[in-house]
């Protein structure tokens, strides 16, 4: 994980407005959201390792399943997950569990991030800041 400096950190926005700005840029709200926190994720690369730009946010008024919720953005970071190829040799949980959990565990859930991906992540974060923060 590589934390990124951002002018967006601790800024408060309507989640709806952020979605309207970030989704056309390829961001999705990660599936690991809760009623009071979540992440905007952008997959940057997946050449055997997935690299993501992740922007965490927390509800400050309302909850994430409530229309009109307001959120505070936290420190963005880059995240890398290296996944194994082929079959999961340890995967023998049984037919019922395998039916619902078809994904392999990462071989390295916090893999090192190459410098070129760090530079790309910083550039993407600058673009996000320019889109979200109004010009004076």
């Amino acid at each position: 994980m590589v934390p990124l400096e951002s002018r967006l950190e601790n800024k408060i926005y309507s989640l709806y407005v952020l979605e309207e700005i970030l989704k056309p840029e390829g961001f999705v709200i990660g599936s690991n959201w809760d009623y009071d926190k979540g992440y905007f994720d952008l997959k940057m690369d997946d050449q055997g390792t997935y690299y993501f730009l992740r922007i965490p946010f927390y509800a400050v008024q309302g909850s994430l399943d409530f229309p009109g919720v307001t959120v505070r953005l936290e420190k963005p970071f880059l995240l890398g997950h290296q996944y194994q190829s082929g079959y999961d040799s340890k995967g023998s949980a049984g037919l019922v569990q395998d039916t619902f959990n078809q994904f392999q565990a990462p071989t390295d859930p916090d893999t090192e991030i190459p410098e070129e991906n760090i530079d790309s992540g910083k550039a993407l974060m600058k673009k996000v800041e320019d889109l979200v923060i109004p010009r004076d």
Side-chain angles (χ1 to χ4, degrees):
M1 181 178 84
V2 176
L4 299 175
E5 295 300 317
S6 174
R7 297 179 294 148
L8 292 175
E9 189 175 348
N10 294 317
K11 301 283 187 196
I12 296 174
Y13 297 97
S14 160
L15 182 59
Y16 176 79
V17 169
L18 289 173
E19 287 182 283
E20 290 290 306
I21 294 169
L22 297 178
K23 282 187 175 182
E25 299 300 318
F27 281 88
V28 297
I29 293 182
S31 62
N32 52 350
W33 68 276
D34 198 343
Y35 291 103
D36 62 346
K37 65 183 181 217
Y39 302 96
F40 281 106
D41 286 340
L42 176 68
K43 187 190 297 186
M44 298 170 43
D45 194 2
D46 67 356
Q47 302 291 332
T49 301
Y50 298 139
Y51 296 106
F52 292 92
L53 170 57
R54 177 167 277 182
I55 305 171
F57 56 86
Y58 293 87
V60 294
Q61 183 176 4
S63 63
L64 297 184
D65 63 337
F66 180 76
V69 63
T70 303
V71 298
R72 181 184 72 234
L73 298 176
E74 297 294 317
K75 183 178 279 301
F77 57 93
L78 301 174
L79 184 66
H81 286 287
Q82 185 173 12
Y83 286 86
Q84 56 187 323
S85 60
Y87 293 107
D88 186 350
S89 61
K90 297 178 185 174
S92 60
L95 181 60
V96 173
Q97 184 173 347
D98 288 348
T99 301
F100 296 102
N101 186 8
Q102 301 172 20
F103 302 101
Q104 297 178 13
T107 58
D108 185 355
D110 193 17
T111 189
E112 187 174 327
I113 299 172
E115 195 63 39
E116 69 244 18
N117 290 87
I118 294 172
D119 292 340
S120 295
K122 289 177 180 178
L124 286 167
M125 198 61 229
K126 169 78 170 93
K127 181 178 180 181
V128 168
E129 291 171 347
D130 291 344
L131 290 168
V132 174
I133 298 174
R135 302 248 179 215
D136 295 330

